[in-house]
Amino acid sequence: MFGYVRPYRPSATFADYEFYRAVYCGLCRAMKKQMGSVSSMTLNYDMVFLALLRLLVGENQVSVHPHRCVLHPVKPRAMVVDNPAVDYAARAGVLLAYRKMEDDVRDARFLGRIPPATACAMLRRARKKAGLESLDKKIEEELAALSQMEREQVASIDLPAAAFGRLLGAVFSEGAPDEYRENLRLIGDTVGKFIYAADAAEDFPHDVKSGSYNPYVLTYGSALTPEKKRDIHDSLICILAEGESAWQTLPFENAGITSRLIRNILYEGLPARIDFLLQDTPVKRGKKKITPYDGPLP
């Protein structure tokens, strides 16, 4: 479910994607620096989107510098460093990952509990370092509500999607500037609903075979006709349309690249995910020197 939100590569310029990758690598570095190396294993694309949003509504300054890491010890990577927005996304991401794995332990059968239980044990210390106790409690409550719906075999996609929307709404808005807090909550709510419903649609064939909980399986049975797929597609687009008014109020005029990336994700990246699926095409790039940058948000 996590890691669903990413740009649509064909529409992203080289400069845009380089900055996106700098935020991604900056998140990884922030996780390791603040909560230990194990925490970086939970890094996902959803938190990069959160970091971009918080960059846009936060301080209009960013620092991008080259750093080496364990995965790239020879060639340094550009990273957004020492930034409150990235630091917050790093901590929130660890809380989400820990609580999701903890929830998986409760829901899994005996042998299936071993991997998430091991991950929980490895992340326990990182979760404590992340802090954000009130947010942690909210995540725990909404995931517990989701688990209860799964046990009750709730057939409606709206109810569990709404719970996940409330969860991401809390994550997106926690500690945000007052003037943007409600809009960020609405954006998180919209994206959360979309992620849950789109993920259920994508997992439909697997869940039919495994017998795992899936509201669409309970609603439509063991097969999706082209008409049913179109209905699901249209309902997902409607979810995004309902949230459009919230993200249109963001201060996009403050940043070029950051604004384009956010718009790319919302208007192209998310819709592309429900085409099942457009794959990223790797592009070979030559060596390029990284120039340190300190200044206004690009």
Side-chain angles (χ1 to χ4, degrees):
M1 187 183 299
F2 298 119
Y4 213 82
V5 186
R6 63 178 73 182
Y8 180 53
R9 286 290 298 275
S11 296
T13 67
F14 179 78
D16 292 354
Y17 200 75
E18 284 296 292
F19 182 69
Y20 180 84
R21 201 165 68 166
V23 176
Y24 182 94
C25 292
L27 262 175
C28 183
R29 184 173 186 268
M31 285 178 163
K32 292 176 182 177
K33 185 177 180 180
Q34 296 180 52
M35 292 157 289
S37 296
V38 172
S39 67
S40 64
M41 295 169 57
T42 68
L43 178 62
N44 64 64
Y45 294 108
D46 300 349
M47 294 302 101
V48 182
F49 178 62
L50 171 59
L52 288 170
L53 284 173
R54 298 296 286 256
L55 280 167
L56 189 67
V57 302
E59 297 179 9
N60 191 26
Q61 294 290 316
V62 68
S63 294
V64 181
H65 290 264
H67 288 277
R68 291 182 173 85
C69 65
V70 174
L71 293 178
H72 306 96
V74 178
K75 182 180 179 181
R77 290 293 185 99
M79 302 181 187
V80 174
V81 296
D82 302 324
N83 187 280
V86 173
D87 291 346
Y88 170 75
R91 292 187 291 150
V94 168
L95 294 182
L96 273 171
Y98 177 84
R99 289 302 182 185
K100 179 64 170 65
M101 291 172 187
E102 185 181 58
D103 188 62
D104 289 344
V105 173
R106 286 193 295 265
D107 294 343
R109 296 173 182 174
F110 179 71
L111 291 178
R113 294 178 182 176
I114 296 176
T118 302
C120 273
M122 295 172 66
L123 283 173
R124 193 164 289 119
R125 186 176 180 184
R127 174 225 161 194
K128 291 180 180 178
K129 288 184 176 181
L132 301 173
E133 287 82 5
S134 61
L135 178 62
D136 187 31
K137 184 65 175 177
K138 180 66 174 177
I139 293 171
E140 182 183 25
E141 290 172 354
E142 295 299 347
L143 286 178
L146 273 174
S147 293
Q148 183 63 29
M149 292 179 204
E150 292 175 2
R151 287 190 291 271
E152 294 175 356
Q153 295 289 290
V154 173
S156 169
I157 189 67
D158 296 333
L159 293 175
F164 196 68
R166 290 191 298 270
L167 186 157
L168 275 197
V171 171
F172 279 33
S173 61
E174 177 74 16
D178 291 342
E179 60 184 309
Y180 297 113
R181 187 172 300 159
E182 179 60 15
N183 285 335
L184 288 177
R185 186 194 65 78
L186 291 172
I187 293 170
D189 183 75
T190 297
V191 172
K193 289 176 182 176
F194 180 92
I195 289 174
Y196 189 93
D199 185 66
E202 188 172 349
D203 287 347
F204 186 94
H206 175 269
D207 291 340
V208 168
K209 293 179 181 179
S210 66
S212 300
Y213 170 74
N214 189 313
Y216 288 130
V217 176
L218 295 173
T219 301
Y220 294 117
S222 59
L224 285 178
T225 64
E227 292 77 15
K228 291 174 182 176
K229 290 181 180 179
R230 172 56 59 182
D231 288 343
I232 293 173
H233 177 276
D234 291 348
S235 69
L236 289 168
I237 294 299
C238 285
I239 290 174
L240 293 178
E242 289 171 1
E244 186 175 19
S245 59
W247 62 68
Q248 283 184 337
T249 61
L250 294 175
F252 287 119
E253 67 280 0
N254 292 349
I257 291 178
T258 309
S259 298
R260 289 197 299 272
L261 282 170
I262 292 172
R263 290 180 183 274
N264 177 300
I265 291 168
L266 292 171
Y267 286 107
E268 298 184 81
L270 289 177
R273 287 305 308 268
I274 57 175
D275 288 336
F276 301 114
L277 289 166
L278 290 172
Q279 300 294 329
D280 288 348
T281 303
V283 179
K284 292 184 178 180
R285 298 185 177 95
K287 294 182 178 180
K288 184 171 72 70
K289 183 178 179 180
I290 299 171
T291 302
Y293 174 80
D294 294 277
L297 190 64

